[in-house]
Amino acid sequence: MELYELNLRSAAEGVRTKKFSALELFDSCLARAVACEPNLSALITTTVEAGREMARRADERLAKGEDPGPLTGVPVVLKDNLCTKGVRTTAGSAILGDWKPPYDATVWELLRDAGAVLLGKANLDEFAMGNTCGSSAFGPTRNPWDTTRVPGGSSGGSAAAVSAGYVPFSLGSDTGGSIRQPASYCGVYGLKPTYGLVSRYGVISYGSSLDQVGPFARTVGDLHAVMGVLARHDPRDSSSVRGKGLDFSPVPEDLKGKRVGLVREFQGFTLEAPIADAMARVRGLLEDAGAEIVEVELPIVARYAVSCYYAIAMSEAHTNLERYDGVRYGRTVDDAEGIKEMFERVRSQGFGIEVKSRIIAGTCLTEPVRSEEYYVAATKVRTLIAQEFAKAFDAADFILQPVTPALPAPVGGVDEDAMKGYESDLYTLPVNMAGLPGLSFFTGYSPSGLPVGLQLVGPRWSDGRLLNVGLTLEAMLGSPRIAKGGL
Ligand code: GLN
């Protein structure tokens, strides 16, 4: 077995007990990344020197008998919308040029303090807008199980890197599904935490009321390990919630008597056969384990969540992206005649088409004459969606639902109908609208060899228990393998 094949906890244990050095582990992971990158393009930046230096330092501290933390020597990849001091951070956009942030995102600070070693910054849809990883200014990432297909998005690079064995874990961000959907497409586990549990400081904002950072890994227990480090109150993020020190010790959940909800309104929607089969199979396993299947109703979610999500996300995006003006960050032009021309040229050259269309839509939706009818109305529906979930969780401990209606599409098979792409987020984005935690878990492979994931959604702050249910499911369904990565 090669070192890059180890999961997070085995890798950390091996470094701590000096079975191998952090540098050996890093070099094995790096060699794997270098071998697969021509096929996958999962990384925008590979931090070879900085990473080797961090690994060396971890080894030195261990040699001195210090305990540098639970993630000591474990390589990690961060989605490239997470700020890393002195390391280029692009958000997948040309507008940031080779901007090097003057500070670290809190999530990276926490991982680094726990001993993690940076291997690279992962590709993403531009400013995290999309679900294919195809809107990146750096070109598309490919699915490590079938390189003709998309890895999902927007955190496609982070998911692909874990799936192909570049690193045992990575971070992504999830505004409407961007951790859960690529986790499912790439055959790894991914958690979107409860809103407010993980700091957003230093996360390049897309939809601030929806964005949440979370981990990808090849075992559920590894998600526990990362969440144990990330779930901290951060005074630098006003939406970070105090006093929610949740327990992330991995304890498989006894499913006997647990009420698992299936959403009545989703029953009528079409799923591709491998996903429908997985739903039936997991339902059967849950029943065998003593869980009770109950029906819950989410009529407003089923009918209005997609349109309201996009109204809110685009409105927030247009506000958040105002700051890219050619003055404060990255790209600029020197020969503009006046400030208006400078803004126009920087923004029209720097942003890609998906981002531009969302800025325009967001501008229209929040115009004073229209905002009551659209943006404000969408936020009201959002409250109803949160209430609807709260009611569902009176009847069920967790909800089991798909992540997507279909398996990953071919790369570049761009749908002419953008709305169809947006609608495929129906199962993920309501979770963000209500601020809930969602776990994307691996169930097995389709007859064509593609991984099939499903989703478990819980009430706010049930993150630890959600992962514990995930452990039980992993024991029943088996863990994913490392993908071939096109080799
Ligand atoms: N696909 C959704 C969107 O484009 C979600 C993206 C995300 O979670 N960052 O908005």
Side-chain angles (χ1 to χ4, degrees), residues 32-44 46 166 485:
R32 175 70 182 169
V34 168
C36 295
E37 266 303 87
N39 306 327
L40 303 183
S41 302
L43 303 178
I44 293 175
T46 311
Y166 297 12

Side-chain angles (χ1 to χ4, degrees), residues 167-342:
V167 279
F169 80 109
S170 65
L171 294 188
S173 67
D174 191 314
T175 304
S178 278
I179 292 174
R180 290 159 287 155
Q181 185 252 32
S184 161
Y185 280 5
C186 292
V188 295
Y189 300 94
L191 178 75
K192 182 260 166 207
T194 299
Y195 186 81
L197 186 61
V198 176
S199 169
R200 290 186 302 108
Y201 177 79
V203 181
I204 295 179
S205 299
Y206 162 18
S208 310
S209 73
L210 303 155
D211 300 340
Q212 194 63 187
V213 171
F216 293 93
R218 296 187 299 267
T219 72
V220 175
D222 287 352
L223 298 182
H224 283 84
V226 185
M227 286 307 296
V229 172
L230 294 184
R232 296 266 176 291
H233 172 247
D234 182 2
R236 293 177 296 190
D237 168 8
S238 59
S239 62
S240 161
V241 174
R242 222 177 268 277
K244 289 288 177 190
L246 305 183
D247 186 3
F248 286 102
S249 343
V251 184
E253 187 87 4
D254 182 358
L255 295 176
K256 210 167 166 25
K258 292 278 145 41
R259 299 161 308 162
V260 178
L262 294 181
V263 180
R264 170 180 295 172
E265 291 75 14
F266 292 169
Q267 310 301 315
F269 298 156
T270 316
L271 298 174
E272 276 188 6
I275 299 172
D277 292 349
M279 280 294 288
R281 183 158 162 250
V282 171
R283 178 193 172 142
L285 288 171
L286 290 168
E287 281 175 324
D288 292 348
E292 183 195 341
I293 303 294
V294 298
E295 199 167 67
V296 296
E297 292 175 11
L298 297 175
I300 298 176
V301 165
R303 190 130 182 226
Y304 300 110
V306 173
S307 44
C308 290
Y309 165 86
Y310 279 99
I312 292 169
M314 290 177 183
S315 299
E316 293 188 12
H318 120 84
T319 310
N320 277 323
L321 270 53
E322 270 175 9
R323 71 190 70 171
Y324 304 103
D325 54 9
V327 179
R328 286 175 280 191
Y329 300 90
R331 191 180 177 122
T332 192
V333 292
D334 298 327
D335 57 345
E337 289 192 13
I339 198 150
K340 188 164 175 286
E341 187 190 317
M342 183 183 76

